[in-house]
Amino acid sequence: MKRLISLLLVVLMVFSLAACGGNGADDDTGSDADVEDTGDDAEVPAASGDIQKIGISMPTKDLQRWTLDGENLKAELEAEGFEADLQFANNDVGEQVAQIENMLASGADVIVIAAIDGSALTTVLDGAKANGVIVISYDRLIMNSDAVSYYATFDLERVGEMQGQYIADALDLENTDETYNIEIFTGPTDDNNVNFFYGGAMKVLQPYIDDGTLVVPSGQVSLAETATNAWSTEEAQKRMENIISANYGDGTVLDAVLSSNDSVANGVTNAVVNGYPGDNFPIITGQDCETTAVKNIIRGQQSMSVFKDTRELAQAVVDMIVALANGEEPPVNDTETYDNGTGIIPSNLLDPIAVDIDNYEEVLIGSGYYTEDDLK
Ligand code: BGC
């Protein structure tokens, strides 16, 4: 009987060990769970990685695009489990530097920056580098800092080419025997993007200026002469008003205005609406598809804009950060173009889309970027 009981005990022990083994097997399932966890970790890297806190420094709330950029980025980062600190700097370089300093002090692991002045962040970013903080340049390249690891933006030269090409196509410059009058407006010289916007547009337009098909009655053609501080609508409007009264008061026809973005285009449009005496409305280009600009396109007071989907740009940055959190190389598609003075910054370039009256509904409303009501 004793033997039977001990045998039973042994059987029980073996059974419970097997059950433990089963748990062990469950542990394997557990390790499946671990695999799943890793899967989860891929989705929620903040839960396990060294990268948890992300600072987002945007230039200003004045322009709709930066508000959307910032909000999209914050929402998408939080959806991935990161902690996101979003700050807007009021287009004030000192304020942006102070905000970045605060992000560093509060332990940010990555800082995403759309710089106000691309060359004014060298010192504060030395601090980022010293603390092992990863810096991602957002939309605008930060210059002269080796703390910048990655750059996410739209193909900037392509944006300029699209604007120039729109004018060339609309006036059929390739085939015409006529001459047309154009004025040129770009952004501030402290925004590195301006070199590409202006450069891309002039790549298309300069040959026509050189052969006399395009004439610039104001004579203002160089980047310095056509720059607009802080992308200011008011400054663009004043300059356009001056150009109109000095060159177009006598009935000279203004055929086109190359404008590098929408805030500048708005100033140009205001000046044309209020003071251009001609019967035609000139072709006016833009960039960002801000609602004011799209409304102007709908009412025939701006010809086109270039759409840079801020949701896509935010996603590109989130993909970079998720990769970094997983110890992987962030996705980039350009390692040649963007030299910030310390070397080439690996970049992820997205495709811009030219938008005008013919496709704005499909591109902007169809993609859910705006509702019809937004554009009323
Ligand atoms: C951006 C444009 C924007 C402009 C003014 C540029 O750096 O690339 O999209 O219109 O800044 O904020």
Side-chain angles (χ1 to χ4, degrees), residues 38 80 168 174 233:
T38 321
E80 294 288 347
E174 185 68 12
T233 300

Side-chain angles (χ1 to χ4, degrees), residues 63 65-66 139-140 191 193 197 231 261 287-288 308:
L63 252 67
R65 75 148 293 182
W66 300 116
D139 191 274
R140 300 172 174 170
D191 181 345
N193 289 7
F197 300 149
W231 295 97
N261 91 334
Q287 163 181 203
D288 294 335
K308 303 195 301 188

Side-chain angles (χ1 to χ4, degrees), residues 148-222:
V148 180
S149 300
Y150 300 98
Y151 183 29
T153 192
F154 283 82
D155 187 333
L156 303 169
E157 190 176 29
R158 185 85 197 97
V159 171
E161 281 170 11
M162 283 175 159
Q163 295 164 336
Q165 197 57 51
Y166 192 91
I167 293 174
D169 290 346
L171 297 174
D172 195 17
L173 297 180
E174 185 68 12
N175 302 306
T176 188
D177 294 328
E178 310 272 316
T179 57
Y180 292 103
N181 295 324
I182 186 170
E183 297 295 339
I184 298 165
F185 284 68
T186 191
T189 49
D190 57 11
D191 181 345
N192 186 57
N193 289 7
V194 167
N195 298 310
F196 293 93
F197 300 149
Y198 175 85
M202 292 311 271
K203 202 158 114 184
V204 179
L205 298 176
Q206 189 68 54
Y208 297 113
I209 296 176
D210 292 343
D211 73 11
T213 311
L214 284 176
V215 175
V216 186
S218 71
Q220 296 163 13
V221 180
S222 70

Side-chain angles (χ1 to χ4, degrees), residues 225-274:
E225 288 168 319
T226 58
T228 313
N229 280 318
W231 295 97
S232 154
T233 300
E234 294 71 27
E235 187 177 313
Q237 180 167 342
K238 274 203 195 95
R239 186 169 153 247
M240 190 71 231
E241 282 166 0
N242 291 338
I243 289 177
I244 288 172
S245 60
N247 304 279
Y248 297 90
D250 61 357
T252 301
V253 174
L254 173 61
D255 296 294
V257 181
L258 171 82
S259 159
S260 288
N261 91 334
D262 287 344
S263 59
V264 167
N266 288 343
V268 170
T269 293
N270 293 343
V272 168
V273 169
N274 297 332

Side-chain angles (χ1 to χ4, degrees), residues 115-122 140-145 190-192:
I116 296 165
D117 177 341
S119 301
L121 300 179
T122 313
R140 300 172 174 170
L141 186 58
I142 297 169
M143 305 302 288
N144 309 321
S145 169
D190 57 11
D191 181 345
N192 186 57

Side-chain angles (χ1 to χ4, degrees), residues 103-117:
M103 287 170 185
L104 292 175
S106 67
D109 302 303
V110 177
I111 304 189
V112 181
I113 305 170
I116 296 165
D117 177 341

